[in-house]
Amino acid sequence: MLPSSQFDFHRQISPIIYQLNDLQDCLMVKELLNTPYVRSVDQLDSQMAELIKAKNPAKSYSDIELSKLVSEFFSENNREKYGVWVFYPWKNILVRLLPEEEFILVRTQRNNYKITSKEQNDLRKKKIGIIGLSVGQSIAFAIALERGCGELRLADFDTLELSNLNRIKAGVTDLGVEKVVIAAREISEIDPYLKVTVFRDGISEDNIDDFLSAGGSLDVLIDECDSLDIKALAREKAKAKHIPVLMETSDRGMLDVERFDLEPERAIFHGLIGDLKFTDLQGLTSKQKVPMALKITGISTVSTRMKVSLLEVNQTIASWPQLASAVYLGGATVSHASRKLLLGEKVESGRYYVDLDELIKKESEPITEAAKKPVKTKAEFVDFLPAGDNLKSTYRLNEAELTYLLEKANTAPSGGNSQPWKWIFDKVGVLHLIHDKDKSESLLDFLGTGSLLAFGAALEIIRLTAANMGLALSIHYQISQFGEDLIASVLFYSKADSSIVVSHDDLTEGIDLRCTNRKNDKRELVSTEETLAFKSLAEDLGVTLEVIDDLEVLGELAPILGGMDRLRLLHEQGYSDFISEIRWSEEEALETKDGIDIATLEMGNVERAAIGLVRDPGTVEFFRKNDLGYGLTKISDQTILTAGAVMMLQADEYSPEAFLKSGAALQRIWMKANLCGYSIQPVSASLFIFHRVNREKNTGFNSAEKTQIINFKSQLNTIFNLKRQKEEMFMVRINKASAPSMRSFRRDVSDSLIIL
């Protein structure tokens, strides 16, 4: 007699595990292997290869190496006696598997570290009971897939009907089969070692105590049954036994938590049905159940479609609806909540919503936008102009000339492409540059120094563009102390028919060419001649340019800048700045015409995925709390290590004028580099943080972070500014790279220009 004939197909729920060190089991396996209609699956070598990799995660094996290691293992261990054969009678399939502990190790390895090894072992000691397998099936599968417990108890009296196939994982070949059998079989095919206990008659007064306690008390009860009286009975008993209860309603993603283990006096259903007991709910008609169900779920929180459906039960529909999307969402939320609860994490009694209709708004429903900063009025900007100023232009630009000039000026680089300028063209033809602080406030714009660099660059563009237009002008710095709003005034004197000669006017062609290029192509050194030319452009403005191109030294610089990148992202304002300055789509970039278009970051799929993770504030908060996120320190590696050189602008003093001149020097060097075929990318975030920590008491960094920052600064000064006699103003990397995929947008001149 063949083994399969010993089993009732419709009732068999558990596979048979044959141990190969048992003679009778070996004989049974041999008989099954020789049975024509029994299919065997022997992928033991593949499983062993996975086991080797799981035990040696830091190593990288080729297929040949793995095959050799597998062969070596079985040369030392008898393959015929290793592991188990598992027979699934309902499928007539015999499967070769690893021994239990090795099987569990391999099957759960992809859980790490969302579930740690210790947590996985703790979960093996837990028992979870699920009542009702229309919704409960998806929960059971999710828990089994994660191995979120050591035993699952499943209870349902019903069999599969055709109308169940809108939400239950089964097929038409399973019609008439008990739901509990379908679920138990599916779980055993995922993991035959996971203990599954079934209650085929569902739950009643007669067996509820056994379900909750026989063989050890449940650690969590999950209620997904349809009967209101059984729901109440289960809670009354669970409350008496101090067992927490979870429930998912498949409407608006509502997860219900009742912590009877922590609150044994807590009223069932959060007191929503008052003093009603299990016995009070027995024998209710469908119409009588509707108001009671609404009391339990809360009429104000039920979705509109569910309200309609409940009213239509036994009218135009036979029962209340349950969609597969909601059922599977419930499987995920309950599985997640039960894991957190079982591992001792904070899961409070109450109700939690994962409402997809709220997350994905209808077109007719307006999406609430984040609050925007108030925009200064024209009068407020005009108030920044000097009272009684005697400055006056002898030549007044027409609107076309003014617009053209500022179109060029507004291409200047600025921190996060914030474009923090406001231009005022007054009644006497003077062009004033005002700091629009609402656009630049950030962790990195300490004392407005980042903006001053941008203003210096913009004024240098005006100087060159005006000369090319035949305009004679003079630029007067107005700012004397950090924090002042009026930066500079530009006076125009005359207009010639052709361009006029000014210093470095050969750079004018580089104005439109200049852009940030973040591509990391093959490293190519900058020639000595070109390095000297860059230095000369800075020296003309009293600014020093220090250039480092030694690859070993750049290797020392990379972790400094990477470490500072991490600290910036861990800083509350720094992270907020980073998220707000990124334009996450082309549509967003076109709408704002500022910020950093994500396309300009030149990232591959892996990097895009990484930045997507960083976009989640929960990720960064986890990093903060656990002193993690060191992977963020690698952000700068390729940027620095593919650089032909890293260049730092330095000044003799820390003053507004020094930053304006450094900005002008930066613009010159950038244009020259682009004209010579080089690409430039700022790598200066660390410098602004160094300045802030050195000069400000309350920085938002904690003491440990400050210590790290001070250490990074000391390390930087073993590379740049060794004698520390200069002020570090700005830093860029220069390299050879193909054209950028995208250039950052600029706002229209009309957005930044006021004409009086």
Side-chain angles (χ1 to χ4, degrees):
M1 180 182 290
L2 293 174
S4 58
S5 65
Q6 301 173 18
F7 306 104
D8 179 348
F9 171 83
H10 288 288
R11 296 185 63 81
Q12 182 64 30
I13 62 169
S14 300
I16 305 150
I17 300 176
Y18 293 108
Q19 303 291 339
L20 297 181
N21 57 2
D22 183 281
L23 179 59
Q24 289 301 316
D25 280 6
C26 288
L27 291 173
M28 192 64 74
V29 168
K30 185 176 180 180
E31 184 178 1
L32 286 167
L33 289 172
N34 291 324
T35 302
Y37 57 79
V38 172
R39 182 165 66 91
S40 64
V41 178
D42 186 347
Q43 292 290 314
L44 188 61
D45 288 1
S46 172
Q47 296 170 50
M48 178 55 65
E50 284 196 274
L51 178 61
I52 291 169
K53 290 191 289 184
K55 289 185 174 181
N56 301 276
K59 294 184 180 180
S60 179
Y61 298 101
S62 66
D63 290 343
I64 294 174
E65 289 173 326
L66 269 179
S67 179
K68 182 180 178 183
L69 289 170
V70 171
S71 297
E72 288 175 356
F73 178 86
F74 285 125
S75 67
E76 298 172 7
N77 300 271
N78 187 349
R79 190 181 191 281
E80 298 306 310
K81 298 293 183 182
Y82 185 81
V84 300
W85 281 98
V86 181
F87 182 55
Y88 294 92
W90 54 90
K91 286 191 171 181
N92 280 320
I93 294 178
L94 188 65
V95 184
R96 187 75 178 275
L97 294 177
L98 293 169
E100 182 173 1
E101 294 305 317
E102 287 78 4
F103 176 92
I104 293 171
L105 172 65
V106 173
R107 197 177 80 76
T108 62
Q109 63 176 318
R110 296 290 290 274
N111 288 354
N112 289 323
Y113 284 105
K114 288 193 172 184
I115 305 174
T116 67
S117 296
K118 180 182 181 304
E119 289 171 339
Q120 201 80 65
N121 286 328
D122 290 343
L123 290 171
R124 289 180 68 176
K125 304 169 187 173
K126 306 298 183 180
K127 300 175 178 64
I128 296 177
I130 303 175
I131 304 174
L133 292 173
S134 289
V135 174
Q137 185 204 59
S138 67
I139 298 170
F141 288 172
I143 291 171
L145 285 166
E146 295 179 359
R147 228 175 196 275
C149 65
E151 179 186 356
L152 271 172
R153 293 181 195 161
L154 308 178
D156 200 310
F157 66 92
D158 208 359
T159 58
L160 185 73
E161 298 176 332
L162 184 59
S163 61
N164 299 142
L165 292 181
N166 77 320
R167 63 195 183 280
I168 290 181
K169 184 180 182 298
V172 292
T173 57
D174 296 308
L175 291 174
V177 179
E178 296 164 83
K179 292 177 183 177
V180 73
V181 170
I182 294 170
R185 288 175 174 177
E186 185 80 20
I187 292 167
S188 73
E189 291 177 25
I190 295 167
D191 188 338
Y193 296 113
L194 181 62
K195 183 178 180 181
V196 179
T197 305
V198 300
F199 284 68
R200 310 175 87 124
D201 298 323
I203 294 300
S204 65
E205 285 185 276
D206 296 330
N207 68 4
I208 182 68
D209 288 316
D210 285 345
F211 184 79
L212 296 175
S213 303
S217 179
L218 291 181
D219 297 288
V220 173
L221 171 63
I222 298 169
D223 164 35
E224 298 300 336
C225 72
D226 295 334
S227 302
L228 290 178
D229 55 339
I230 298 300
K231 284 180 175 293
L233 172 65
R235 281 164 176 76
E236 290 173 13
K237 293 288 187 175
K239 176 180 175 179
K241 296 176 182 291
H242 299 180
I243 298 172
V245 178
L246 303 180
M247 175 180 69
E248 208 285 339
T249 62
S250 301
D251 183 56
R252 296 191 63 211
M254 188 185 87
L255 171 67
D256 188 89
V257 180
E258 295 170 277
R259 293 300 302 268
F260 298 125
D261 55 329
L262 302 179
E263 303 165 278
E265 299 305 314
R266 185 179 189 83
I268 66 171
F269 295 121
H270 312 288
L272 294 170
I273 62 170
D275 296 325
L276 289 179
K277 301 288 190 297
F278 150 68
T279 51
D280 299 322
L281 300 173
Q282 288 181 301
L284 294 181
T285 65
S286 295
K287 285 187 177 181
Q288 291 171 326
K289 288 179 181 178
V290 169
M292 193 60 63
L294 286 174
K295 276 189 176 183
I296 292 172
T297 56
I299 191 168
S300 63
T301 57
V302 174
S303 67
T304 300
R305 294 191 182 215
M306 181 56 83
K307 290 175 184 176
V308 171
S309 301
L310 288 171
L311 292 172
E312 289 297 310
V313 171
N314 290 338
Q315 301 296 319
T316 58
I317 56 176
S319 185
W320 50 78
Q322 293 174 318
L323 295 176
S325 54
V327 167
Y328 280 93
L329 175 65
T333 55
V334 176
S335 175
H336 180 80
S338 69
R339 182 177 69 251
K340 287 173 66 71
L341 189 154
L342 290 173
L343 293 175
E345 297 184 41
K346 190 174 184 179
V347 181
E348 296 182 345
S349 295
R351 287 181 167 174
Y352 306 86
Y353 294 85
V354 187
D355 190 341
L356 298 182
D357 286 333
E358 282 295 314
L359 295 173
I360 306 170
K361 294 280 189 180
K362 299 176 186 176
E363 289 183 3
S364 60
E365 295 175 324
I367 298 175
T368 304
E369 296 183 359
K372 296 181 179 179
K373 294 180 179 178
V375 178
K376 283 189 177 68
T377 63
K378 173 180 174 180
E380 287 177 300
F381 280 111
V382 172
D383 284 343
F384 295 135
L385 297 182
D389 199 324
N390 295 322
L391 295 177
K392 183 178 181 180
S393 293
T394 55
Y395 175 80
R396 182 179 178 85
L397 275 64
N398 60 42
E399 190 167 337
E401 291 169 332
L402 180 62
T403 299
Y404 178 79
L405 186 65
L406 293 183
E407 281 177 347
K408 300 295 184 182
N410 288 358
T411 65
S414 58
N417 190 28
S418 59
Q419 304 166 54
W421 38 68
K422 182 68 74 173
W423 304 97
I424 299 181
F425 192 61
D426 69 16
K427 295 178 180 179
V428 293
V430 178
L431 180 64
H432 302 280
L433 171 56
I434 308 294
H435 185 181
D436 188 349
K437 294 176 181 175
D438 290 337
K439 290 185 170 63
S440 66
E441 182 181 354
S442 69
L443 174 70
L444 301 186
D445 197 27
F446 176 59
L447 298 178
T449 51
S451 295
L452 286 168
L453 288 159
F455 300 147
L459 292 169
E460 178 65 10
I461 294 173
I462 285 179
R463 184 184 74 86
L464 294 174
T465 302
N468 192 53
M469 295 169 65
L471 294 168
L473 57 71
S474 63
I475 298 173
H476 299 262
Y477 292 159
Q478 299 277 24
I479 186 171
S480 59
Q481 295 181 4
F482 290 116
E484 293 178 349
D485 298 276
L486 177 61
I487 306 302
S489 299
V490 183
L491 278 66
F492 301 92
Y493 300 115
S494 62
K495 171 75 182 293
D497 293 334
S498 59
S499 62
I500 58 177
V501 177
V502 294
S503 62
H504 308 298
D505 53 12
D506 58 312
L507 299 176
T508 304
E509 293 180 7
I511 293 173
D512 292 335
L513 192 61
R514 189 216 67 79
C515 70
T516 297
N517 189 340
R518 298 180 176 87
K519 283 188 173 179
N520 297 322
D521 289 353
K522 185 178 179 181
R523 184 171 190 258
E524 186 173 330
L525 290 173
V526 182
S527 71
T528 302
E529 180 183 1
E530 288 163 334
T531 298
L532 290 173
F534 297 147
K535 289 183 176 182
S536 177
L537 291 172
E539 288 168 358
D540 282 357
L541 291 162
V543 179
T544 300
L545 181 69
E546 190 175 355
V547 181
I548 301 293
D549 61 6
D550 183 278
L551 187 57
E552 185 176 342
V553 178
L554 293 179
E556 296 172 1
L557 178 63
I560 298 171
L561 302 188
M564 292 300 295
D565 285 339
R566 170 182 174 270
L567 289 169
R568 178 200 174 190
L569 288 174
L570 296 187
H571 187 280
E572 185 174 353
Q573 184 181 359
Y575 177 73
S576 176
D577 296 339
F578 171 76
I579 294 300
S580 62
E581 74 184 18
I582 298 294
R583 300 295 172 259
W584 301 94
S585 66
E586 183 179 359
E587 293 75 18
E588 186 181 359
L590 282 168
E591 181 182 354
T592 64
K593 291 187 178 179
D594 62 8
I596 299 175
D597 187 336
I598 194 169
T600 69
L601 298 182
E602 305 289 358
M603 296 181 297
N605 291 334
V606 173
E607 291 80 10
R608 276 183 175 261
I611 202 169
L613 291 174
V614 174
R615 189 179 181 183
D616 176 11
T619 300
V620 176
E621 183 60 27
F622 188 84
F623 288 162
R624 285 194 197 109
K625 288 183 176 180
N626 296 279
D627 189 28
L628 296 173
Y630 286 93
L632 301 174
T633 66
K634 304 298 182 183
I635 293 174
S636 300
D637 280 4
Q638 286 305 303
T639 299
I640 302 303
L641 297 178
T642 60
V646 173
M647 307 188 296
M648 181 189 284
L649 290 165
Q650 301 166 16
D652 292 330
E653 62 180 15
Y654 194 84
S655 67
E657 184 173 343
F659 276 97
L660 287 169
K661 288 183 176 179
S662 295
L666 172 65
Q667 179 68 27
R668 289 182 183 180
I669 293 166
W670 206 322
M671 291 185 294
K672 179 69 173 178
N674 288 168
L675 287 167
C676 292
Y678 291 101
S679 297
I680 294 286
Q681 176 185 347
V683 288
S684 286
S686 59
L687 300 187
F688 297 107
I689 296 175
F690 291 148
H691 291 316
R692 184 179 287 275
V693 170
N694 186 45
R695 291 175 166 85
E696 188 173 67
K697 184 176 181 181
N698 298 318
T699 62
F701 293 104
N702 61 38
S703 58
E705 290 167 341
K706 284 184 180 180
T707 299
Q708 291 181 59
I709 291 168
I710 292 168
N711 288 337
F712 282 134
K713 178 62 166 64
S714 297
Q715 293 173 37
L716 180 73
N717 290 132
T718 66
I719 299 171
F720 285 105
N721 193 19
L722 271 62
K723 296 182 179 179
R724 304 195 184 193
Q725 294 178 343
K726 299 282 187 177
E727 297 290 346
E728 297 144 1
M729 311 300 275
F730 203 74
M731 192 158 50
V732 298
R733 73 95 181 247
I734 181 170
N735 69 325
K736 286 277 188 178
S738 55
S741 303
M742 177 71 70
R743 294 175 62 128
S744 295
F745 295 109
R746 291 295 189 276
R747 290 191 292 270
D748 295 336
V749 169
S750 59
D751 291 334
S752 60
L753 174 61
I754 296 173
I755 299 176
L756 301 182

